[in-house]
Amino acid sequence: MPDTITITDDRTGKTVTVPIEGGVFPAAAVRELDPSLFIYDPAYMQTASCKSAITYLDGEAGILRYRGYPIEQLAEHSSYLEVAYLLLNGELPTTAQMEQWRFDVTHHTFIHENMRKRFVDGFHYDAHPMGMFVSSVAALGTFYDGAKEIFDADSRQRQILRLIAKTPTLAAMAYRFSVGLPFNYPDNDLSYPANFLHMMWKIGEYEVDPALERAMDVLFILHADHEQNCGTTAMRVVGSSHADPYSSAAAAACALYGPLHGGANEAVVRMLADIGSIENVPAFIESVKVGDGRLMGFGHRVYKNYDPRATIIKKTAYDVFEVTGKNPLLDIALALEEVALNDAYFIDRKLYPNVDFYSGLIYQALGFPVDMFTVLFAIPRTAGWLAHWQELLADGDQRISRPRQWYDGVGAREFVPIESR
Ligand code: CMC
């Protein structure tokens, strides 16, 4: 069977034959047929917008790999910082590379005092931490001369380091501001996740529980990348205009903010709280089936099977609850999952729990308010965004993102003066 596709334009009888590689054929084939012919593909349902060697995802089989390594193995044996190195560099670090990377990230965690005193202090007292996060990521770029030197490899490396090192600091600062607590400076003696928990929670004496530190690290690993989702696509689209990485990452974080993307974990916890008790689960499922809202934390554009991250998160939830006590919403979540997985509506549409179904319960057990959930997603996803940004800049096939449209408005007409309308 030839690995080619032949397309015929029936209007002209013109035919082109192009290769299919890895299940993809170039849209240039359509251009060859007729440069004014376009493919209508809202939400990029059937469009590969780039080539990427970072994350492999098989939604039918429920497989997720970063640079070839299965997510299950990384979640069990690796750390977020090691995974960030892997995503950015393509290979796992040697001991010496890892030590240097850890040292570099640890020694870039502080932010300019003006960021806190002048910028963050200007927010309204009840500002949403995610709103504060996206704007402070963008603002951070204004502190570095080299931010715009995106074709200078050393400068790119410095900005990447800064973004990975400083996002937990910005996140903790947004939280502490939103609850009126003084800011905790980073502690360079702590690991990446422990330092974040320290900046979040320290009031007087505070020691990070190793089980919770590990859970935080696993959650960071699971959220580090997920190929061309809405946020990463925003990073690539903005990056394609050669904007600096802070502005591009802020755009990606804005995309993540929406309830259909990174905001879903927040929506799950609110939904579970609204359901209130196990007895209300069947009625809630029925209401979803008749189109009255969605079962948040279920369904995925790509996974048509159990999201492998959801399996790991469910296990991590139990590790956390050992320390914190069980989140009372867990029983409702388990009941919902059981009912949905056995219901024809969800089976027929291949709707399974996604990464957000259990993550919110862990975050809540760790003490995070729901407003912080998307911020917790954005911290580790920064590594993925930056890996895609680097890949984009090095990709000779890429140009500024500029899709075409299918105009279906009115045709040309004469302007009518206001008094005559
Ligand atoms: N609850 C009930 N019905 C659903 C759900 C859901 N969570 N998700 C999809 N459906 C139905 C939908 O109504 C449609 O039914 P029909 O064919 O009868 O019209 C069918 O399933 C296909 O849905 P879709 O909206 O075409 O699927 P999509 O690929 O456009 O949407 C999604 C994917 C994730 C936005 C959607 O499943 C959803 O809204 N889920 C709830 C929100 C959520 O959990 N989001 C987190 C996604 S994972 C984190 C991330 O990667 O950002």
Side-chain angles (χ1 to χ4, degrees):
M1 198 170 53
D3 277 345
T4 55
I5 187 165
T6 300
I7 311 170
T8 305
D9 184 341
D10 293 327
R11 299 168 307 170
T12 58
K14 194 171 169 187
T15 286
V16 283
T17 299
V18 284
I20 300 177
E21 240 184 282
V24 179
F25 74 90
V30 177
R31 197 159 49 238
E32 216 177 292
L33 275 180
D34 175 355
S36 61
L37 186 65
F38 297 103
I39 294 165
Y40 179 57
D41 187 16
Y44 310 118
M45 296 285 285
Q46 211 63 28
T47 296
S49 61
C50 62
K51 277 188 192 161
S52 182
I54 300 170
T55 289
Y56 175 78
L57 208 171
D58 180 340
E60 291 294 331
I63 292 173
L64 173 62
R65 298 184 202 127
Y66 296 159
R67 302 283 190 186
Y69 295 102
I71 192 68
E72 294 80 2
Q73 291 181 21
L74 293 170
E76 191 172 346
H77 303 296
S78 190
S79 67
Y80 168 67
L81 270 194
E82 190 178 46
V83 164
Y85 184 99
L86 171 70
L87 290 169
L88 287 158
N89 298 287
E91 296 296 336
L92 286 167
T94 61
T95 306
Q97 287 167 332
M98 187 62 208
E99 267 169 27
Q100 186 64 49
W101 172 238
R102 200 193 310 279
F103 180 90
D104 290 344
V105 171
T106 307
H107 290 85
H108 282 84
T109 48
F110 276 69
I111 51 169
H112 196 290
E113 278 292 280
N114 280 356
M115 268 297 287
R116 181 175 65 84
K117 288 193 186 142
R118 301 191 176 244
F119 188 76
V120 172
D121 278 0
F123 281 102
H124 199 248
Y125 71 94
D126 62 353
H128 193 291
M130 191 60 187
M132 296 171 73
F133 180 82
V134 297
S135 18
S136 18
V137 168
L140 198 60
T142 65
F143 286 82
Y144 304 112
D145 278 349
K148 291 187 189 314
E149 308 301 329
I150 62 166
F151 292 109
D152 175 312
D154 288 343
S155 172
R156 246 188 351 252
Q157 204 42 44
R158 263 196 314 282
Q159 315 316 326
I160 287 173
L161 193 58
R162 284 174 174 142
L163 272 160
I164 291 189
K166 294 179 203 304
T167 42
T169 314
L170 296 178
M173 188 172 60
Y175 166 72
R176 301 284 291 199
F177 176 84
S178 70
V179 290
L181 281 168
F183 175 56
N184 284 322
Y185 287 99
D187 182 339
N188 289 351
D189 291 331
L190 298 176
S191 72
Y192 190 89
N195 175 48
F196 174 57
L197 292 172
H198 146 88
M199 289 188 290
M200 282 290 303
W201 306 125
K202 183 177 158 57
I203 302 173
E205 286 300 303
Y206 176 74
E207 209 158 307
V208 181
D209 185 295
L212 303 187
E213 175 182 351
R214 180 62 196 155
M216 200 73 247
D217 217 19
V218 170
L219 286 160
F220 282 170
I221 292 170
L222 298 182
H223 287 88
D225 193 46
H226 210 231
E227 52 119 300
Q228 310 312 316
N229 51 77
C230 183
T232 303
T233 300
M235 180 87 193
R236 280 180 173 268
V237 169
V238 177
S240 79
S241 76
H242 295 170
D244 69 80
Y246 301 88
S247 307
S248 306
C254 287
L256 190 70
Y257 198 174
L260 295 187
H261 192 7
N265 47 20
E266 182 174 336
V268 169
V269 170
R270 294 194 199 282
M271 173 190 76
L272 295 173
D274 282 350
I275 294 172
S277 76
I278 293 180
E279 298 80 70
N280 298 334
V281 165
F284 176 78
I285 290 284
E286 288 311 311
S287 70
V288 168
K289 284 161 61 178
V290 296
D292 189 8
R294 290 198 160 191
L295 174 51
M296 299 309 284
F298 259 67
H300 200 275
R301 172 62 55 81
V302 184
Y303 290 117
K304 301 302 167 198
N305 201 322
Y306 217 96
D307 179 339
R309 300 168 302 171
T311 316
I312 301 165
I313 283 196
K314 196 169 169 184
K315 185 189 161 294
T316 308
Y318 285 102
D319 297 344
V320 168
F321 298 157
E322 287 270 308
V323 180
T324 62
K326 194 173 79 176
N327 186 325
L329 297 177
L330 176 70
D331 290 334
I332 302 176
L334 289 170
L336 264 181
E337 183 184 344
E338 198 189 329
V339 174
L341 291 180
N342 291 298
D343 189 295
Y345 175 95
F346 296 90
I347 295 169
D348 293 350
R349 289 168 180 77
K350 298 188 175 170
L351 300 171
Y352 293 88
N354 60 48
V355 68
D356 291 317
F357 194 64
Y358 286 103
S359 62
L361 294 183
I362 305 184
Y363 295 149
Q364 208 175 39
L366 288 170
F368 292 99
V370 283
D371 280 357
M372 275 297 284
F373 289 3
T374 315
V375 180
L376 296 170
F377 193 153
I379 296 170
R381 185 52 62 85
T382 302
W385 291 333
L386 291 165
H388 284 272
W389 174 70
Q390 277 194 140
E391 189 175 60
L392 165 96
L393 292 180
D395 182 347
D397 284 353
Q398 289 291 340
R399 298 161 73 186
I400 186 167
S401 282
R402 206 308 186 182
R404 306 303 292 244
Q405 66 166 6
W406 179 0
Y407 178 72
D408 72 344
V410 295
R413 48 182 167 170
E414 294 296 319
F415 179 79
V416 180
I418 195 161
E419 34 330 322
S420 314
R421 281 173 219 161

